[in-house]
Structure formats: structure tokens, C-alpha cells
Amino acid sequence: MTVGVVLSGGGPLAVAWECGLAAGLASKGVLLSAAYQILGTSAGAIVGAQIAVGRDPRAMAQAIVDEKEGTPRPATKPAYPLEIVTKLPELFAKAQSGDAGRAEVGSYARQVATQEDELSYVARMEVDLGLRGWPDRNLAIVAVDAVRGGTVLFDRDSGATLAQAVAASCSVPDLSPPVTIGDTSYFDGGMRSTANADLIVGCQTVLLFCFTPSGPAAERIISRSGAQADLLTAAGIRVKIISPDEACLAAIGTRTMDVTRRPSVAQAGRYWCKLN
């Protein structure tokens, strides 16, 4: 039976939650790295790439838990300015209206100045995550064409480096620059969908890790991911959706860019696996 793993986006707390889950599953002998395909979007691209290249998810989660002791956070800038974060819901809403809306957001992303230039951004992603070459695994990273608004899956045959692919998938407008690959530039795959589960192929069973915050946004995310799961189910694919339980939601809160919550979110993810 071929099993696919879909890791959704959702910001720095999604990284923590997914690392916690992956660590808890590994402790029970369930290794996500053994999946036939790993499909990662934005935060899920960060987690999926590290798992695919062979990092132990227990070490990944522990590094996040250790942040409460002052250990520097990997692959993140020191802060997410509030004035920029408050713009994101409007940008996401426009982008999820279709290719034209995403192209409009992409145009904005290509013009706006960011705190970090493209070369520095990609280099930081490569160094902090230890992403050198593509793994010998079926790993796909979702990003959006910043010019045409279409969706692309980067893999080891796409011509992008792994660091470029992950950086592109995580490039939120205003926070990080779009990433140039070939003759165009790309930005956050989460602008198409949080999970993009409908893009996975060749799997008989799919584990969909769908990160959500507390509050109304969760309903919208679950609805979209559920619709994608329904498409897979209609094609004869068995889908299991894993989303934050009450304990995880309490740790996550409503502000998914609040990096101070990462240790408690990773812990909650690990604990979820003990109960399931």
C-alpha cells in the first residue's frame, strides 16, 4: 500500500505542531520518511524537506522545545512586524480567488521591499535547515508562480535547488522576497491552499496534516482541506485528516505568527501522539 503524507502550511506554529506530531509518531515507530510521497506547503515544506533528507523528527521537535531556554530559532527572522502580519488575511483571501488573484498578489510581492534580500533569504534557509541536495525520496514542494498565478510542484527534477524550492514555498508577501527559479519567480504555496492535498498523486492512502489556529479561520481551512480530501476519496484514495485537538488549539491560540508559543505547540503535538 502506497502512503502519501501531506504537510500543510500555517506559519511558525505549524512548523512546531508538525514537528511535534512527527516526533511523537517516530517514538511509536511510525516514520513519515517511509512515505511513498511527501507533499509540503510553506511550513509543511520546511518540515517535509527536513524529514525527507533524513533528519530525526525527535531532534527537530526537541530543538523547538529548547527555544524556551533561549536557544535560537532555526530558519526564522527575529520578528514578524505586526503591521505586516495584519495585512496577510486580505492577501490570502485575494490569492485564493484563483490564478488572477494570485498573480495580483504576486505582482505586489515582487514590488514590495522586504527586510531580507533574495540571496540572503535562500542562503539562510539552506544553512539553518541543512538543505544541501534533494533527497533520494519522492518529495514535492508547492509554490505559486508570482507572474502568472499558477501552481507548481518542485521536485528533484525541477531544476530548483531544495533550498530554493522551500524558500519559494515559504515566501509570504511583505515578509520574504519571491524566489527566482528559471525565468520567473515564485512565492508562498499556501496562497493557493493551506494543504494542497489534491495535488498529491500515486498514493492509495493519504495522511493529511492540516494545521489550524483557534477561531473562525479554522473553519475555512478545514472546509477547503475537506473539499480536497473529498476529491481524493472520490478517486478511490483513503484519506485521514489530522488536525489540532483541543490541547493543541489551546497552545496555538489565535496568532499563528506568535513564535513564543512554538515550544508549547511542539510539546502539545508530541503529547497528541501519546493519546492516539
Side-chain angles (χ1 to χ4, degrees):
M1 178 176 65
T2 55
V3 178
V5 172
V6 175
L7 296 163
S8 81
L13 299 190
V15 172
W17 179 69
E18 290 171 352
C19 284
L21 289 178
L25 290 171
S27 295
K28 297 174 72 171
V30 179
L31 301 177
L32 299 185
S33 59
Y36 170 77
Q37 183 180 41
I38 298 174
L39 177 74
T41 298
S42 199
I46 289 176
V47 178
Q50 291 182 88
I51 289 173
V53 300
R55 288 200 63 191
D56 186 339
R58 289 163 291 195
M60 293 162 57
Q62 190 59 50
I64 294 174
V65 171
D66 288 344
E67 291 171 11
K68 65 184 178 183
E69 304 298 335
T71 303
R73 293 179 288 116
T76 53
K77 288 180 286 188
Y80 296 96
L82 182 60
E83 65 273 17
I84 292 177
V85 172
T86 55
K87 295 179 184 177
L88 296 182
E90 179 183 350
L91 293 175
F92 275 96
K94 184 181 293 293
Q96 291 178 358
S97 65
D99 286 2
R102 287 188 286 275
E104 186 176 340
V105 175
S107 176
Y108 170 77
R110 287 183 290 121
Q111 295 177 47
V112 69
T114 55
Q115 295 180 3
E116 194 172 23
D117 64 72
E118 179 184 343
L119 290 178
S120 298
Y121 171 52
V122 175
R124 175 173 59 81
M125 192 70 71
E126 180 177 33
V127 172
D128 288 353
L129 297 180
L131 303 178
R132 299 298 184 260
W134 283 89
D136 188 22
R137 295 183 184 278
N138 194 355
L139 170 67
I141 304 297
V142 184
V144 171
D145 185 324
V147 177
R148 291 171 282 272
T151 309
V152 64
L153 290 180
F154 289 112
D155 59 21
R156 61 177 174 264
D157 298 320
S158 62
T161 68
L162 181 53
Q164 284 178 321
V166 174
S169 186
C170 296
S171 175
V172 178
D174 257 335
L175 293 177
S176 301
V179 176
T180 305
I181 300 170
D183 62 354
T184 191
S185 58
Y186 300 87
F187 69 112
D188 190 1
M191 287 287 175
R192 190 248 187 194
S193 166
T194 299
N196 294 298
D198 56 319
L199 300 180
I200 199 165
V201 295
C203 301
Q204 296 168 308
T205 298
V206 171
L207 299 179
L208 168 51
F209 294 83
C210 181
F211 175 84
T212 64
S214 298
E219 297 179 11
R220 295 192 296 271
I221 293 170
I222 291 172
S223 176
R224 293 189 184 105
S225 296
Q228 293 173 0
D230 289 343
L231 290 174
L232 295 177
T233 300
I237 300 169
R238 180 174 177 267
V239 181
K240 179 174 178 55
I241 300 177
I242 300 171
S243 55
D245 63 3
E246 289 186 8
C248 290
L249 287 173
I252 292 166
T254 59
R255 295 171 55 198
T256 60
M257 305 301 276
D258 182 0
V259 296
T260 64
R261 291 178 172 266
R262 279 168 46 99
S264 60
V265 172
Q267 285 279 39
R270 289 197 299 198
Y271 186 68
W272 178 92
C273 293
K274 293 181 180 180
L275 302 177
N276 294 272

